[in-house]
């Protein structure tokens, strides 16, 4: 069945450093979403990527979808303390568009 | 206000008891989902529903029962709670499958003693 691996599991950075999390699937994806969950909170949708090779930016966040639609990345430039939280990718395959599988998440912590 | 709510927010129960977690959304979204979140496992899909009276299993459905008689409600029942079902449970809703933005409720923290 659908499997998705997210790395790294944890990342601890100095404020101002960059951060990247990666999501890799065993099968071709129809689309991928990214979510952020603050400590003690619930996941909040950030973005959806659909097209092969797609790149989208939201201020300091850059999202990429691989050419083969099997991997994706989220890059944060010059982290701030407000970026603290866990970042999840969520994928759905072509066989079941409504069954969404979440990656295990990357927990970002920041030294001020 | 429109949104997605869950109740109770916290629940402590004993092994073997039946527990029902409630989820209510005011957007009339077609899709609704139940996830559990445990350390090291991220969010795992328990059940989902594409519309009223249409439900389907996710990754970890064993020990859970769902129903959806009305579009806005999607209760999750643990028929006989076990310690392994101690977790944080999130309900989510989604308009359809063209755009997969999910809106999450605040979560229910369930402890089974």
């Amino acid at each position: 069945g659908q499997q998705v691996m997210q790395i790294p599991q944890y990342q601890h950075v100095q404020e101002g450093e960059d951060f990247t999390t990666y999501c890799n699937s065993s099968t071709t994806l129809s689309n991928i979403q990214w979510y952020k969950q603050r400590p003690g909170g619930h996941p909040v949708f950030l973005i959806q990527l659909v097209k092969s090779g797609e790149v989208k930016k939201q201020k300091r966040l850059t999202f990429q979808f691989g050419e083969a639609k099997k991997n994706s990345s989220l890059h944060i430039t010059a982290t701030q303390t407000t970026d603290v939280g866990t970042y999840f990718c969520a994928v759905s395959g072509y066989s079941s568009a409504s069954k969404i599988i979440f990656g295990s998440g990357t927990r970002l912590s920041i030294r001020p | 206000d429109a949104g997605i709510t869950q109740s109770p927010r916290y629940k402590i129960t004993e092994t073997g008891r039946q527990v029902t977690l409630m989820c209510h959304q005011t957007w009339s979204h077609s899709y609704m989902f139940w996830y559990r979140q445990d350390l090291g496992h991220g969010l795992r899909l328990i059940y989902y529903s594409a519309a009223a009276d249409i439900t389907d299993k996710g990754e970890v459905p064993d020990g859970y029962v769902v129903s959806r008689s009305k579009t806005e409600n999607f209760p999750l029942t643990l028929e006989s709670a076990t310690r392994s079902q101690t977790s944080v449970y999130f309900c989510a809703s989604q308009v359809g499958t063209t755009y997969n933005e999910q809106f999450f409720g605040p979560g229910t923290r369930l402890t089974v003693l």
Side-chain angles (χ1 to χ4, degrees):
Chain A
Q2 183 86 56
Q3 295 210 0
V4 59
M5 178 171 281
Q6 195 172 348
I7 55 171
Q9 193 173 2
Y10 303 98
Q11 184 109 35
H12 187 58
V13 302
Q14 182 78 41
E15 186 175 15
E17 291 182 338
D18 292 356
F19 161 78
T20 305
T21 175
Y22 301 89
C23 192
N24 298 298
S25 170
S26 56
T27 59
T28 303
L29 303 169
S30 61
N31 55 64
I32 189 166
Q33 302 88 46
W34 286 94
Y35 289 79
K36 176 184 178 181
Q37 184 177 23
R38 293 182 188 275
H42 58 275
V44 175
F45 175 85
L46 295 176
I47 208 160
Q48 173 167 287
L49 305 173
V50 178
K51 299 177 183 176
S52 168
E54 189 170 14
V55 178
K56 287 189 176 180
K57 293 190 175 184
Q58 291 179 351
K59 297 183 181 178
R60 295 178 294 103
L61 277 61
T62 302
F63 305 84
Q64 283 190 289
F65 202 8
E67 294 289 342
K69 299 184 73 174
K70 286 188 173 183
N71 56 72
S72 181
S73 64
L74 158 59
H75 179 83
I76 302 178
T77 303
T79 55
Q80 300 175 358
T81 55
T82 53
D83 296 324
V84 164
T86 302
Y87 293 84
F88 294 97
C89 62
V91 304
S92 54
Y94 286 103
S95 60
S96 178
S98 53
K99 188 178 281 190
I100 294 173
I101 305 297
F102 277 76
S104 55
T106 296
R107 183 182 297 179
L108 172 63
S109 59
I110 297 175
R111 296 188 295 275
Chain B
D1 286 342
I4 182 164
T5 57
Q6 293 183 237
S7 61
R9 294 292 313 279
Y10 302 90
K11 176 75 177 177
I12 299 174
T13 191
E14 294 177 336
T15 301
R17 291 193 180 265
Q18 183 180 82
V19 177
T20 296
L21 309 184
M22 304 301 293
C23 179
H24 176 78
Q25 54 112 350
T26 60
W27 293 302
S28 298
H29 287 172
S30 295
Y31 284 82
M32 295 188 76
F33 305 82
W34 273 107
Y35 296 92
R36 60 177 290 173
Q37 185 171 40
D38 308 290
L39 280 174
H41 287 282
L43 289 150
R44 291 184 291 176
L45 181 64
I46 304 171
Y47 270 96
Y48 66 100
S49 168
D53 297 323
I54 301 175
T55 62
D56 204 352
K57 296 178 181 179
E59 293 177 84
V60 288
D62 293 343
Y64 303 95
V65 174
V66 293
S67 62
R68 196 168 175 205
S69 57
K70 294 183 178 181
T71 299
E72 62 266 32
N73 296 324
F74 191 38
L76 175 74
T77 298
L78 289 66
E79 292 191 301
S80 179
T82 65
R83 288 198 181 90
S84 64
Q85 292 178 310
T86 293
S87 187
V88 178
Y89 291 85
F90 286 102
C91 176
S93 71
Q94 180 177 309
V95 173
T97 55
T98 302
Y99 191 66
N100 289 345
E101 177 176 1
Q102 293 195 6
F103 297 85
F104 283 80
T108 294
R109 184 174 294 275
L110 176 68
T111 302
V112 183
L113 301 176

